[in-house]
Amino acid sequence: MAADKIYPPSPEFVAQAHVSGMDAYQELFEEAKADPEAFWGRMAQERIDWFKPWDKVLDASNAPFYKWFTGAKTNMAYNCIDRHVKTWRKNKAAIIWEGEPGDQQILTYQELSRRVQRFANILLKLGYKTGDRAIIYMPMVPELPIAMLACARLGITHSVVFGGFSSEALKMRIQDLEAGIVITADGGYRRGRTVRLKDAVDEALVDCPSVTNVIVYRRTGEKVEMQAGRDHDWEDLITDMPETCPAVELDAEHPLYVLYTSGTTGKPKGIVHTTGGYQVQLASSMKWVFDLKDEDTYWCAADVGWVTGHSYIVYGPLLAGTTSVMYEGAPDYPEPDRFWRICAKYSVNVFYTSPTAIRAFIKFGEHFPNRHDLSSLRLLGSVGEPINPAAWEWYHKVIGHERCPIVDTWWQTETGSIMISALPGATPLKPGSATFPLPGVLADVVDMDGNSVPKGSEGYLIVRGPWPSMFRTLQGDPDRFVKTYWSQLDGCYFVGDAARRDEDGYIWVLGRVDDVMNVSGHRMSTAELESSLVRHESVAEAAVIGAPDELTGQAVIAFVTLKSTYEPSDELAATLRDWVGHEIGKFARPKQIRFSEGLPKTRSGKIMRRLLREIVTQDKVTGDVTTLEDLSVLNRLSTTSGED
Ligand code: WTA
């Protein structure tokens, strides 16, 4: 194999970096490894304000239900806003927002503070308090972080539901959380059209008795149903609200949010994050990975509905006191240069996006970024899926003009903050590798017995022991938390990804080892899609696999066996794709439906997805078929298919 191309950080970047040179990284890493509690205690003191200090940095007495900074009192909204308002940052831009139609709002820390406190007063007036739960289902408007921060201020645990999710997915989340309130909007803008959200809320709420109030922010101005007594206009409520509402002194372990993500079963998991430890590690990663300086303008071009947006559009940047750009719409609207137009317009210095987006930009062509002055950029980031070296090289050359380091950041909804990543002023980069764990993260690549694999080998990615921003449990299902994540290897967190450690010790994350797919950086489980398909009246059985896809990383291919009264057709394939779109969300629609008379199964009745994967990727089965119950099924896997 040819030697990997290595990009060392430039001397100029090293000279100004927070972590300057590989020795500095090693020193921090060793400090954390030698005494994690002392290390995280130091980080907590340096980076976060506390109303009351902790008794213990880490309580591992009931592992894996670890607790961090026990006894301490703090508040996320206070740390994101109030403490900055007391400094020169008061009139610094906190959020620079651009709507898809081109409208714009710049919120200073003071203005954000006023809006958050006024909205928090609405929540109080409606009777909500610490310990209650709120669902937030909004487009990418400033009112979305405002709602999150108002909840955080009062200790109301929020769950943001991505605006692309359907009413069914929304309903499941409201019910699981037994939320008392839904904060939503009439709709939002996407690719020049409006996406209606309030209709989906109305549909979901038919079966959600726990919800007694709905607050509706008017974004599009389209007419929506308002149920008297239950539904309120954001603007009507906010008018008379006072601008002060003190931050509640919350326990460090108070649940900040629950974010649902796909696991290997049909039911999404509610990932529970708490306050103190999450703040500490998030603020640390902002400094180490994004090397943020006070004069930087930072843009994470994700959606707040996913964990990347929670941690790196809202909480991380505000904790760091930075200026965070937020954009409502599609990257190719009105033209495929929108992102670069925004970078140039606001002189963005640090830009963070996904490999799927980068691959789409490659397809659109270099002339779109080349139209704009991108000279303000000094650092680029990537997240959500492995970045293929070709996309890395393009990003480096065309967007970064060979001047900007690229941080390929590996992490998960569960980990809360970035875990494996280059530090831009320290780590020599290899395109496609997330490189090394951050200080305080004992990530390793191991075999089935938990032994570290030798250099040059593949294995399972794990994390040895707890970290402050880790999720604390699964909402309503602590047993599944233990079983899924902490039972494979003693004291280790089982990630669910495969990885390779190369000859130089670099970590290369290869992809999932379970039945979770990663489509455009969105996690989806095969079981979730299959159970949606079999709920359709025509479907007897379904098996879903993720096939490699040049643009989206993986694409959803569904093998479907119809009930005998139905005939395969392109129309039915289209109906089934729309059905999944309606049940889960448009982004989950299968790329391809393949009708098949039967599905390959083992004698015990388990669907052999491996064989289906081989059929899709190689057009034939080459692997072992001795456990297959009925060989003739393979020949009967019809080629009838419908595609988008
Ligand atoms: C994948 C997104 C390779 C991985 C923050 C992980 C990555 C899952 C990377 C988590 C990366 C994320 N390189 N793979 N830099 N970042 N992944 O929960 O499979 O939506 O387990 O969190 O995305 O997805 P999630």
Side-chain angles (χ1 to χ4, degrees):
M1 216 166 74
D4 296 313
K5 210 165 163 189
I6 294 187
Y7 293 81
S10 69
E12 299 82 56
F13 203 103
V14 177
Q16 59 79 60
H18 285 305
V19 183
S20 182
M22 224 25 195
D23 289 348
Y25 158 74
Q26 288 290 356
E27 207 175 294
L28 269 180
F29 188 86
E30 291 307 324
E31 179 195 340
K33 193 173 166 188
D35 191 345
E37 291 193 51
F39 177 77
W40 287 119
R42 179 164 83 81
M43 295 301 126
Q45 237 148 20
E46 282 176 16
R47 310 215 197 290
I48 297 298
D49 281 7
W50 306 83
F51 300 123
K52 176 176 174 282
W54 49 92
D55 304 321
K56 248 174 115 45
V57 172
L58 172 65
D59 175 359
S61 59
N62 189 27
F65 299 97
Y66 297 98
K67 290 184 179 157
W68 287 87
F69 306 103
T70 53
K73 297 275 185 205
T74 187
N75 185 291
M76 177 58 105
Y78 181 91
N79 276 296
C80 285
I81 304 172
D82 302 42
R83 63 178 174 144
H84 301 314
V85 170
K86 291 180 196 160
T87 71
W88 64 268
R89 283 193 191 85
K90 60 183 186 286
N91 283 321
K92 178 177 177 175
I95 296 175
I96 295 182
W97 174 81
E98 188 164 298
E100 196 186 72
D103 41 347
Q104 174 193 305
Q105 282 194 57
I106 298 181
L107 273 67
T108 62
Y109 275 91
Q110 270 188 149
E111 180 59 21
L112 181 64
S113 170
R114 277 191 284 271
R115 294 209 198 174
V116 168
Q117 296 192 65
R118 290 177 82 189
F119 192 71
N121 276 323
I122 295 182
L123 296 174
L124 283 181
K125 192 175 168 199
L126 291 175
Y128 297 99
K129 55 182 189 316
T130 306
D132 289 342
R133 274 104 37 228
I135 290 278
I136 304 177
Y137 184 60
M138 296 189 83
M140 286 276 288
V141 290
E143 285 68 20
L144 167 53
I146 288 169
M148 293 163 76
L149 289 157
C151 287
R153 193 168 192 83
L154 300 175
I156 297 170
T157 303
H158 66 66
S159 184
V160 179
V161 179
F162 170 57
F165 273 118
S166 68
S167 64
E168 277 300 312
L170 176 65
K171 181 168 82 182
M172 181 253 124
R173 285 155 175 78
I174 297 172
Q175 289 174 342
D176 194 65
L177 206 62
E178 294 177 70
I181 179 167
V182 176
I183 304 163
T184 188
D186 47 6
Y189 292 99
R190 187 82 189 170
R191 229 163 248 125
R193 295 219 293 257
T194 57
V195 179
R196 293 177 67 84
L197 295 176
K198 176 63 167 48
D199 297 352
V201 173
D202 292 339
E203 224 178 288
L205 287 189
V206 174
D207 288 325
C208 300
S210 62
V211 175
T212 46
N213 288 288
V214 178
I215 301 180
V216 185
Y217 174 72
R218 303 280 180 171
R219 167 65 181 139
T220 63
E222 288 182 343
K223 194 171 161 26
V224 294
E225 292 295 321
M226 295 294 277
Q227 190 175 321
R230 186 195 71 182
D231 300 351
H232 316 272
D233 241 298
W234 179 300
E235 283 309 318
D236 291 348
L237 291 176
I238 205 108
T239 314
D240 306 319
M241 284 298 144
E243 284 176 1
T244 49
C245 176
V248 177
E249 298 192 5
L250 297 169
D251 201 273
E253 281 296 333
H254 187 76
L256 175 68
Y257 67 80
V258 178
L259 187 58
Y260 287 84
T261 189
S262 296
T264 52
T265 71
K267 189 170 177 274
K269 305 179 280 198
I271 305 289
V272 179
H273 279 290
T274 63
T275 309
Y278 179 69
Q279 291 181 144
V280 172
Q281 197 167 355
L282 203 49
S284 304
S285 70
M286 286 305 294
K287 192 157 182 179
W288 295 331
V289 178
F290 296 115
D291 190 46
L292 280 178
K293 306 291 166 20
D294 254 320
E295 55 274 32
D296 277 332
T297 297
Y298 159 99
W299 182 19
C300 168
D303 193 291
V304 171
W306 308 106
V307 75
T308 305
H310 281 60
S311 293
Y312 293 104
I313 297 178
V314 182
Y315 292 124
L318 295 177
L319 280 174
T322 198
T323 296
S324 181
V325 174
M326 184 176 169
Y327 166 60
E328 176 185 31
D332 54 350
Y333 187 83
E335 282 194 86
D337 68 340
R338 186 64 183 269
F339 274 21
W340 320 121
R341 189 177 291 277
I342 292 174
C343 281
K345 181 172 173 189
Y346 302 107
S347 302
V348 169
N349 307 106
V350 179
F351 177 69
Y352 190 30
T353 191
S354 68
T356 287
I358 297 163
R359 289 191 294 266
F361 294 131
I362 297 176
K363 226 173 136 189
F364 294 143
E366 283 184 27
H367 52 291
F368 289 112
N370 288 347
R371 281 184 188 167
H372 300 279
D373 175 8
L374 298 180
S375 60
S376 61
L377 290 172
R378 67 179 196 89
L379 173 61
L380 302 173
S382 168
V383 60
E385 45 184 322
I387 178 163
N388 46 312
W392 195 102
E393 297 282 356
W394 186 91
Y395 196 27
H396 188 248
K397 185 166 148 265
V398 179
I399 306 304
H401 295 270
E402 297 178 348
R403 179 189 68 240
C404 307
I406 298 178
V407 287
D408 174 4
T409 64
W410 176 88
W411 60 295
Q412 301 177 299
T413 307
E414 291 87 339
T415 68
S417 62
I418 296 168
M419 301 288 273
I420 305 176
S421 170
L423 304 193
T427 321
L429 306 172
K430 292 192 186 187
S433 166
T435 74
F436 302 105
L438 295 191
V441 176
L442 298 177
D444 199 358
V445 184
V446 301
D447 63 19
M448 298 247 272
D449 301 318
N451 306 309
S452 304
V453 299
K455 288 182 174 172
S457 317
E458 290 178 12
Y460 299 105
L461 187 61
I462 60 151
V463 184
R464 295 190 190 280
W467 62 97
S469 68
M470 63 182 279
F471 65 139
R472 300 302 196 258
T473 188
L474 294 180
Q475 176 70 21
D477 203 349
D479 293 345
R480 190 174 173 197
F481 171 74
V482 177
K483 200 163 151 262
T484 310
Y485 298 103
W486 296 94
S487 302
Q488 284 82 354
L489 297 166
D490 205 22
C492 293
Y493 167 72
F494 189 76
V495 163
D497 283 350
R500 181 164 69 88
R501 186 200 304 283
D502 75 9
E503 298 296 341
D504 301 321
Y506 280 63
I507 295 175
W508 299 68
V509 179
L510 302 170
R512 305 285 308 183
V513 294
D514 50 16
D515 287 325
V516 174
M517 295 168 293
N518 192 328
V519 181
S520 303
H522 301 330
R523 266 166 76 169
M524 269 177 261
S525 83
T526 53
E528 210 177 335
L529 288 158
E530 286 162 6
S531 48
S532 155
L533 282 164
V534 297
R535 275 197 295 270
H536 190 268
E537 55 181 10
S538 68
V539 177
E541 225 178 6
V544 166
I545 58 156
D549 186 277
E550 250 183 40
L551 202 62
T552 57
Q554 282 189 308
V556 175
I557 312 285
F559 286 81
V560 166
T561 306
L562 294 172
K563 289 183 185 153
S564 57
T565 45
Y566 288 84
E567 287 289 321
S569 69
D570 282 351
E571 291 75 50
L572 186 52
T575 304
L576 291 176
R577 278 202 304 276
D578 289 345
W579 170 262
V580 175
H582 177 74
E583 286 234 320
I584 300 176
K586 277 213 178 87
F587 64 93
R589 290 167 87 241
K591 181 172 180 203
Q592 208 181 68
I593 302 272
R594 292 203 181 193
F595 293 112
S596 127
E597 283 179 32
L599 294 170
K601 291 194 191 136
T602 62
R603 282 178 200 104
S604 59
K606 270 186 100 165
I607 295 172
M608 296 178 76
R609 290 200 188 75
R610 175 176 57 81
L611 300 186
L612 297 175
R613 228 169 270 135
E614 286 176 9
I615 287 169
V616 169
T617 52
Q618 307 164 19
D619 246 352
K620 59 176 189 285
V621 170
T622 49
D624 178 28
V625 291
T626 47
T627 53
L628 188 65
E629 176 227 13
D630 175 9
L631 257 180
S632 69
V633 155
L634 285 184
N635 304 326
R636 286 188 281 123
L637 283 174
S638 133
T639 49
T640 317
S641 69
E643 197 166 331
D644 255 345

